[in-house]
Amino acid sequence: MRWCVPILLLLSPCFAQPAARKGPAPKPAAPATQSWPLVSLKVTGNQISSTAQILALTGLRVGQPVTKADFDAARAKLSDSGAFESVGFQFGPAADGKGYSGVVEVVEVQQLYPYRLEDLPAGDRQLRAFLAEREPLFHDKIPATKEVIDRMAAELTAYPGNAGLKDTVTARVVADKPGELSVLFRPGTAPPAIAEVEFSGMKDVPAGRLQQALSAVVIGVPYREAALRQLLDTSIRPVYDGRGHLKVSFPRVEAVPAKDVDGVRVKIEVEEGPVYKLASVKSAVPELSAKQVLKMADLKVGEIANFDAVAVAIDRIQKELRKDGYMRSRTTTERVVHDAEKTVDITFTSELGPQFLMGKLTVQGLDVTTEPAIRKLWSMTPGKPFNADYPQMFLDRVKEDGYFDYLLDTRFDQTVNEKNSTVDIVLYFKGGRDLKKEKEEERRKREEPPPFGIALEERGEAAIFKKSR
């Protein structure tokens, strides 16, 4: 192997020669462990939180010396905030080679929920101001991630203004309104259940009527004032709407221990307010003439604004729209209240949605002779507006008119095709003798009294008919 040495010695000077360069020499990369000034820092991917909020949370400021460890710590702060599904950092030498340039890449949690504070010693406004300082990314809505709600619950527990709190604050997602979720922060001990309700201040509506309406939905439910007020709006306010008291309010709600049962007695003060009358009734319902809607509504201007009658009118309008194929329509009223005159203007309005058309008709249970007869009677042809009430009305008519002997049962199924807005109908017919009905008929005949002039005498086990005098 000694012959290799001279060759290596000859070649070794070649490795020592610098390679030829084209253009200016590249700038040396700043070592990751070396501190260099932060020249620029950008944020991408944010839609909910502002760039300024996110940069503030990182703790990095342009001009300060930073290392890779500082970028790692900033990423950890963003990840631990619970506001992001993912967080990434890119950093490297700045264009002038005198420091670092960085880019923060975030994917935010999109689903945010309003939050409520309940049964805490400090006031709501005071607590929200405190949380806004501690949680700069969040305002009235927060993501329901474990990191966020656990951290906020701990902050509320430790807040000096909650010094009288004898429990830790817990958080959970609740549905105070149908389809509306929120995050509730309250003491961990469960609130007492509602055992009784008591109303005061009424003049127009008996207390018993109000107690019956509210007790049906609150007895046994944990007492939370916010939730109770929601139930007052859905169960008690409609009672007053039906009597023209459009401004009814509940200024005071108080819970005290019940005397003879475990739970609380809720005392509710009622201010009924004045009675309002109808000033005008108008229609903005598409597809139906104003004259037609007002006739169906049957509301008289100058009379008490009875919103029970308005609800009946809405139902009539909905049924009429269903006849024209608007199965997904939604009818409401817009109110314009004139407090000085104690009157209200009502306008009916509807969101029609798609118009559904009659699709395919299928008949099952009939033979080749009777099926064509049924199809001939069926008047809702394919491509015409689908009347949602027609199938049952048609089957009722077939029964009432006695088109078939021994017709036991009828029913229908419908398949709604949302993509092309059509409805397919299947009519089912079941025939045969109705044995139950025949037995009932026989029993009825046996129990009928004998014809006039014929008396029935019982002699032992024999029954003898004889003419009566």
Side-chain angles (χ1 to χ4, degrees), residues 103-151:
V103 178
V104 186
E105 301 170 339
V106 298
V107 177
E108 296 170 302
V109 175
Q110 295 295 315
Q111 187 64 58
L112 302 180
Y113 301 92
Y115 72 88
R116 290 196 298 102
L117 308 169
E118 185 177 88
D119 293 343
L120 298 177
D124 187 270
R125 180 178 299 180
Q126 184 180 1
L127 289 173
R128 287 181 181 272
F130 165 73
L131 290 174
E133 294 178 357
R134 302 296 298 269
E135 302 289 339
L137 294 184
F138 312 129
H139 295 289
D140 295 330
K141 292 186 177 183
I142 63 175
T145 58
K146 187 177 187 302
E147 296 90 345
V148 172
I149 60 178
D150 285 354
R151 185 175 64 249

Side-chain angles (χ1 to χ4, degrees), residues 60-347:
L60 301 176
R61 298 185 306 278
V62 173
Q64 76 176 90
V66 293
T67 65
K68 178 180 181 299
D70 295 317
F71 285 108
D72 290 341
R75 179 171 58 186
K77 288 180 181 178
L78 295 180
S79 298
D80 294 343
S81 71
F84 307 101
E85 294 182 3
S86 65
V87 179
F89 262 97
Q90 293 184 10
F91 68 95
D96 58 6
K98 296 181 180 180
Y100 283 119
S101 288
V103 178
V104 186
E105 301 170 339
V106 298
V107 177
E108 296 170 302
V109 175
Q110 295 295 315
Q111 187 64 58
L112 302 180
Y113 301 92
Y115 72 88
R116 290 196 298 102
L117 308 169
E118 185 177 88
D119 293 343
L120 298 177
D124 187 270
R125 180 178 299 180
Q126 184 180 1
L127 289 173
R128 287 181 181 272
F130 165 73
L131 290 174
E133 294 178 357
R134 302 296 298 269
E135 302 289 339
L137 294 184
F138 312 129
H139 295 289
D140 295 330
K141 292 186 177 183
I142 63 175
T145 58
K146 187 177 187 302
E147 296 90 345
V148 172
I149 60 178
D150 285 354
R151 185 175 64 249
M152 291 179 65
E155 290 167 350
L156 290 169
T157 301
Y159 178 54
N162 286 332
L165 184 66
K166 299 179 181 180
D167 200 353
T168 58
V169 177
T170 60
R172 63 191 182 94
V173 178
V174 298
D176 291 333
K177 296 180 181 179
E180 294 185 18
L181 300 178
S182 61
V183 181
L184 173 65
F185 293 93
R186 69 170 324 279
T189 303
I194 299 174
E196 302 169 342
V197 292
E198 175 185 330
F199 288 91
S200 62
M202 307 80 57
K203 296 179 181 179
D204 195 14
V205 179
R209 170 82 183 277
L210 301 182
Q211 288 173 340
Q212 183 180 12
L214 188 62
S215 296
V217 294
V218 302
I219 297 300
V221 174
Y223 172 72
R224 297 186 177 93
E225 183 175 340
L228 177 66
R229 287 189 176 277
Q230 293 287 350
L231 293 172
L232 286 172
D233 283 338
T234 58
S235 60
I236 301 301
R237 190 174 298 281
V239 174
Y240 279 99
D241 275 355
R243 295 174 180 245
H245 293 279
L246 306 186
K247 296 287 184 164
V248 63
S249 62
F250 313 98
R252 188 171 66 90
V253 174
E254 179 186 8
V256 298
K259 292 183 178 179
D260 301 324
V261 293
D262 186 19
V264 294
R265 182 181 184 86
V266 181
K267 298 181 178 181
I268 304 165
E269 182 181 345
V270 181
E271 285 187 5
E272 295 181 328
V275 174
Y276 286 73
K277 295 184 178 182
L278 285 175
S280 67
V281 182
K282 301 177 182 178
S283 173
V285 177
E287 299 298 317
L288 300 179
S289 68
K291 183 177 180 180
Q292 185 179 7
V293 170
L294 297 181
K295 183 177 180 180
M296 285 188 289
D298 193 24
L299 299 173
K300 303 294 188 296
V301 172
E303 294 185 352
I304 291 176
N306 180 352
F307 276 84
D308 287 343
V310 172
V312 173
I314 288 176
D315 186 58
R316 292 177 185 147
I317 295 170
Q318 283 293 99
K319 288 182 178 179
E320 195 65 25
L321 291 173
R322 282 167 56 89
K323 292 179 182 179
D324 290 333
Y326 297 104
M327 299 173 60
R328 302 287 186 263
S329 63
R330 180 175 176 269
T331 300
T332 56
T333 57
E334 296 177 354
R335 304 184 190 183
V336 178
V337 178
H338 308 285
D339 290 321
E341 296 81 6
K342 302 299 183 291
T343 59
V344 57
D345 299 326
I346 296 177
T347 302

